[in-house]
Amino acid sequence: MSAGSSEEDLDDIIDEICNDSSFTKTPLKLKFNSASLTPERNSVLVQAHGKRCFPVYLGGSLSPSGIGTNISKRTCDQLRCTACDFRVSLFNDYVWDQSCDYLFFRNNMPELSKLRAKMIKKKGARAYACQCSWRSVDELTDLQTEQQLRWVCGKHRE
């Protein structure tokens, strides 16, 4: 992987964060009590509306899903592709046929009836796809190891 590609990925993520209009529309909820404002403990817990996974994990159907962290390794079920701006669909207990290609997903996403033509049943696996990329996963995988995928956590509801 070239340094230029890595810089482009970082620029895309920064642009996505900067252009996220929910930061300006949604006020932050502050939770605190009077004891937390003392000089010894000047910590105020700030919670933004919608949380993101970090790091983002993919995994098979046996892996728990939700907000993923280093401590709570859960697969993200709110993935979004920054390349095609499509929500990533996931299908438990399926893998993609090896004959799948870009045009198949470009023409058939997100219609499940058309996608089934290239889905193979496999217990414990999970098939992921957007309009431009796809993956079949059996075990918990950090999305950072999948450099060619341009998927990010699209925020979870609280």
Side-chain angles (χ1 to χ4, degrees):
M1 178 169 165
S2 67
S5 175
S6 177
E7 287 179 279
E8 287 175 5
D9 289 345
L10 288 175
D11 288 342
D12 289 342
I13 292 169
I14 291 169
D15 287 342
E16 178 188 354
I17 292 168
C18 291
N19 294 330
D20 190 352
S21 59
S22 67
F23 286 116
T24 57
K25 291 179 186 172
T26 308
L28 293 176
K29 297 180 211 168
L30 297 177
K31 292 184 179 180
F32 63 92
N33 60 30
S34 59
S36 68
L37 298 176
T38 61
E40 301 83 38
R41 296 183 56 194
N42 60 353
S43 62
V44 176
L45 177 62
V46 177
Q47 292 182 341
H49 179 72
K51 296 181 179 182
R52 293 184 192 255
C53 297
F54 187 79
V56 179
Y57 292 103
L58 304 177
S61 63
L62 301 177
S63 301
S65 61
I67 300 172
T69 65
N70 282 323
I71 297 166
S72 173
K73 296 184 177 184
R74 297 176 175 273
T75 61
C76 182
D77 55 0
Q78 299 296 320
L79 293 169
R80 186 150 197 95
C81 180
T82 60
C84 65
D85 195 32
F86 237 70
R87 184 180 160 106
V88 177
S89 297
L90 49 113
F91 305 98
N92 288 328
D93 298 322
Y94 284 96
V95 294
W96 297 114
D97 186 80
Q98 288 185 354
S99 66
C100 289
D101 61 6
Y102 172 82
L103 284 177
F104 171 76
F105 290 102
R106 183 77 179 144
N107 293 328
N108 298 311
M109 278 300 286
E111 294 182 45
L112 179 59
S113 60
K114 292 182 179 181
L115 293 172
R116 284 192 189 267
K118 299 228 179 188
M119 294 171 77
I120 301 168
K121 192 95 167 137
K122 183 178 179 188
K123 192 99 174 135
R126 186 176 287 149
Y128 292 85
C130 61
Q131 262 198 338
C132 67
S133 302
W134 63 97
R135 266 309 162 276
S136 298
V137 181
D138 290 323
E139 57 191 36
L140 197 66
T141 306
D142 188 335
L143 190 56
Q144 290 178 336
T145 63
E146 299 286 335
Q147 299 285 325
Q148 62 278 26
L149 293 177
R150 309 258 321 257
W151 296 345
V152 296
C153 177
K155 290 188 187 174
H156 297 262
R157 295 192 192 277
E158 291 186 61

